[in-house]
Amino acid sequence: MVLLWIDSIINNIPFLIEGLITTIVLTIISVALATLFGILLAMGRCYTRQPIPFLIYLYEKIFRGLPLLVIFFLLYFGLSQQGIHIKAFFAAIIGLVLHSTAYQIQIYRSAILAIPEGQKTAAISLGMTKSKTIYHIILPQVLRLSIPGWSNEFTILLKDTSIAFSIGVVELMARGDAITSMNPDAILYVLLFIAFLYFVLVFSINRGLNYLEKRFRISGYEMTTAR
Amino acid sequence: MHMLEVKDIHKSYGACEILKGISFNVDKAETKVIIGASGTGKSTLLKCINQLDPPDKGEVWLDGEELTNPSVDINRIRQKIGFVFQDFNLFNHLTALRNVSIGLEKVKKIDKEEARERALQELKRVGLEKQASQHPAQLSGGQKQRVGIARALAMDPDIILFDEPTSALDPELIGDVLDVMKVLAGKVAMLVVTHEMGFARNVADEIIFMEGGKIIESGTPNQMFQHPKMERTKEFLGKTSTLYGQE
């Protein structure tokens, strides 16, 4: 019996890999866009005049308050009722970006606030413009400080792509579901295998980001080894 | 015409008037030291000069250009005014060398190699060429402040403003920083806010004594220490010299 279930996984590996690739593509595009928008909007919230910070704050509050599933349904089913048809894959990307950006703004904003004001004063005293100060002095430090929080958000987003299954995006979870409906006896093993694939993905991303964090650590800021 | 002219500067924060009409001049390569009790507006005055905190009233002129005029390109003029901070304000993510070269590269648009070369010269000048590749967190307070001075010097300024450059340092390190400043005296104009009376006495061309947002008295070190005109000056300098164990 066990062999039969293993068979149903092995026979479907190419089918699962297609789903896995969609999951990865969905993750990479969404993370990249959400990171870009997150940084820009965090800068906007800290360094621009009203009403821009207030509007960003409003956006943040709204999208942190909505479940991802609701955002997906609104974009896919809600808009299509109004005659705006977005393909499921793109609706998923838009939904994930809108959702993750709202969270990521906080990550970068806390990093911005952690940088001593004096460094900005010093850069301006050298004759740097405000934008040069942000680009050369603030941003490189913000990115370093944001890696731990960002790696959290990265893994959350990766796992959230599975919700895109609900609007019909054929990603890993959707493929897993298709296999279990064809092999109802194997449901536990197939799901465990899917879970294992997600875990491996998340684990390797975290290892990679750990490396990134060490690589860009500023000398002299090593953690103490004292007990 | 003087190099730096400060004319009747007023500055308030809310209802609290910090500066109540300050006027003085600094000439080329001159060293002026501003002394006075804490909270009398000395640091505010420095920030009013390079427009980090523009004054409410009054004018600041450097080389015949009015800095307080809103239409002037202040970023260009700030390159000519070095600023050395009490708490160093080094860029934590950059090495000592890059801290010094970044202004040359990004503001003066000097080619990266040449900027490095010049930054290294400035670090030599403050005795830190060996620390060039270290980050601020790896440096002692005195070393940090010398990097701060090198960073200001690299821009080849007309004048450097020092805002209590040694008050965050222990006595041993203070000496290192003051030594560097002594060497600079007479080469570049300096306006120094400090509590180091020994430095004021030995290095200053003129001492300005401030209290309550006004200049009470100014004069050569000899005049200020030996024959102060105002009773308050006598009292202040008397207190500080007992404190520092002179005479």
Side-chain angles (χ1 to χ4, degrees):
Chain A
M1 278 302 264
V2 173
L3 280 180
L4 198 75
W5 294 334
I6 291 176
D7 240 25
S8 67
I9 291 172
I10 290 178
N11 289 340
N12 286 307
I13 282 211
F15 190 64
L16 280 173
I17 283 182
E18 275 177 29
L20 185 66
I21 289 171
T22 307
T23 293
I24 292 173
V25 171
L26 204 55
T27 305
I28 290 174
I29 296 177
S30 307
V31 162
L33 290 175
T35 301
L36 181 69
F37 294 144
I39 292 171
L40 288 175
L41 293 182
M43 294 286 176
R45 236 194 108 174
C46 294
Y47 296 124
T48 56
R49 274 177 224 278
Q50 294 296 359
I52 300 171
F54 177 72
L55 293 175
I56 296 171
Y57 166 83
L58 217 57
Y59 158 76
E60 206 186 286
K61 278 281 166 286
I62 292 169
F63 280 90
R64 285 202 298 164
L66 297 180
L68 192 54
L69 190 62
V70 175
I71 299 177
F72 280 167
F73 277 23
L74 278 172
L75 285 168
Y76 192 64
F77 302 117
L79 288 183
S80 93
Q81 198 203 22
Q82 299 299 311
I84 304 168
H85 302 288
I86 307 172
K87 274 190 179 163
F89 181 77
F90 295 110
I93 287 179
I94 296 170
L96 286 167
V97 170
L98 282 173
H99 190 249
S100 182
T101 300
Y103 282 91
Q104 291 201 36
I105 290 172
Q106 294 292 71
I107 297 175
Y108 306 118
R109 201 167 68 87
S110 71
I112 290 170
L113 297 178
I115 295 167
E117 190 62 18
Q119 292 191 39
K120 220 170 86 189
T121 312
I124 287 170
S125 304
L126 284 176
M128 279 195 198
T129 56
K130 213 172 165 185
S131 54
K132 270 187 188 164
T133 302
I134 291 173
Y135 187 73
H136 296 294
I137 305 301
I138 308 289
L139 192 60
Q141 299 186 65
V142 164
L143 293 182
R144 282 180 173 86
L145 288 172
S146 303
I147 294 174
W150 185 74
S151 82
N152 231 357
E153 188 52 33
F154 194 143
T155 53
I156 290 170
L157 191 145
L158 190 150
K159 289 175 287 177
D160 278 353
T161 57
S162 63
I163 302 176
F165 162 49
S166 63
I167 52 170
V169 177
V170 190
E171 42 66 73
L172 183 58
M173 191 58 208
R175 282 290 158 96
D177 188 65
I179 295 168
T180 55
S181 59
M182 287 183 288
N183 309 275
D185 293 343
I187 188 159
L188 175 66
Y189 290 92
V190 173
L191 286 178
L192 278 176
F193 186 67
I194 303 273
F196 172 74
L197 288 180
Y198 276 113
F199 179 80
V200 169
L201 266 185
V202 169
F203 185 79
S204 24
I205 286 168
N206 280 342
R207 291 307 295 260
L209 291 176
N210 264 347
Y211 168 78
L212 205 68
E213 197 184 329
K214 287 207 184 83
R215 167 78 182 68
F216 287 104
R217 184 170 288 165
I218 300 167
S219 309
Y221 281 91
E222 289 86 1
M223 290 292 160
T224 171
T225 49
R227 34 185 311 234
Chain B
M1 190 186 74
H2 301 280
M3 187 181 73
L4 177 78
E5 295 180 18
V6 175
K7 297 177 185 170
D8 195 28
I9 292 287
H10 289 257
K11 179 76 188 176
S12 303
Y13 291 111
C16 186
E17 195 175 23
I18 304 289
L19 299 176
K20 300 170 182 165
I22 301 276
S23 304
F24 65 92
N25 305 311
V26 180
D27 284 312
K28 204 162 177 270
E30 201 179 20
T31 301
K32 290 210 175 175
V33 171
I34 303 176
I35 58 171
S38 298
T40 48
K42 306 187 297 294
S43 299
T44 306
L45 175 62
L46 292 189
K47 287 186 192 134
C48 279
I49 292 174
N50 81 342
Q51 309 300 306
L52 275 177
D53 214 349
D56 302 328
K57 209 185 120 206
E59 293 172 5
V60 179
W61 291 72
L62 182 74
D63 297 326
E65 277 184 294
E66 192 197 339
L67 278 58
T68 32
N69 182 346
S71 63
V72 81
D73 177 8
I74 191 68
N75 291 320
R76 176 176 56 78
I77 294 184
R78 282 197 185 118
Q79 298 173 34
K80 300 201 281 182
I81 309 175
F83 207 115
V84 174
F85 302 88
Q86 183 173 3
D87 37 12
F88 327 126
N89 291 347
L90 296 185
F91 307 130
N92 285 331
H93 63 304
L94 301 177
T95 60
L97 186 73
R98 288 277 293 153
N99 260 281
V100 180
S101 70
I102 192 153
L104 296 172
E105 267 175 54
K106 307 300 178 192
V107 180
K108 294 217 170 202
K109 306 274 178 214
I110 288 172
D111 155 81
K112 199 167 179 171
E113 253 329 289
E114 200 192 324
R116 271 181 64 92
E117 206 48 52
R118 273 172 61 177
L120 201 58
Q121 290 303 318
E122 297 303 341
L123 282 179
K124 268 189 192 143
R125 212 160 148 188
V126 299
L128 286 176
E129 69 270 29
K130 284 200 188 87
Q131 280 75 17
S133 61
Q134 300 205 315
H135 282 81
Q138 297 168 300
L139 302 173
S140 73
Q143 290 172 334
K144 280 184 205 171
Q145 194 56 297
R146 278 143 66 199
V147 173
I149 295 173
R151 175 172 70 179
L153 278 174
M155 300 299 281
D156 195 18
D158 291 341
I159 183 167
I160 304 182
L161 313 178
F162 291 83
D163 188 8
E164 300 196 22
T166 57
S167 53
L169 302 175
D170 71 50
E172 218 171 353
L173 300 177
I174 288 176
D176 294 345
V177 172
L178 292 182
D179 285 346
V180 167
M181 291 169 66
K182 277 176 201 158
V183 173
L184 295 179
K187 298 195 177 83
V188 55
M190 297 197 282
L191 184 61
V192 186
V193 169
T194 187
H195 297 298
E196 292 299 325
M197 293 305 148
F199 177 82
R201 193 166 192 170
N202 296 325
V203 186
D205 297 308
E206 188 183 53
I207 295 176
I208 296 170
F209 174 52
M210 256 178 84
E211 188 155 82
K214 283 187 189 146
I215 294 177
I216 302 291
E217 188 175 351
S218 63
T220 63
N222 200 18
Q223 183 188 329
M224 294 287 278
F225 279 90
Q226 311 294 342
H227 320 285
K229 289 192 196 82
M230 310 296 287
E231 203 45 50
R232 182 62 192 127
T233 316
K234 205 181 283 178
E235 195 188 353
F236 182 81
L237 290 173
K239 266 184 198 160
T240 48
S241 50
T242 358
L243 190 66
Y244 285 88
Q246 288 155 346
E247 277 140 282

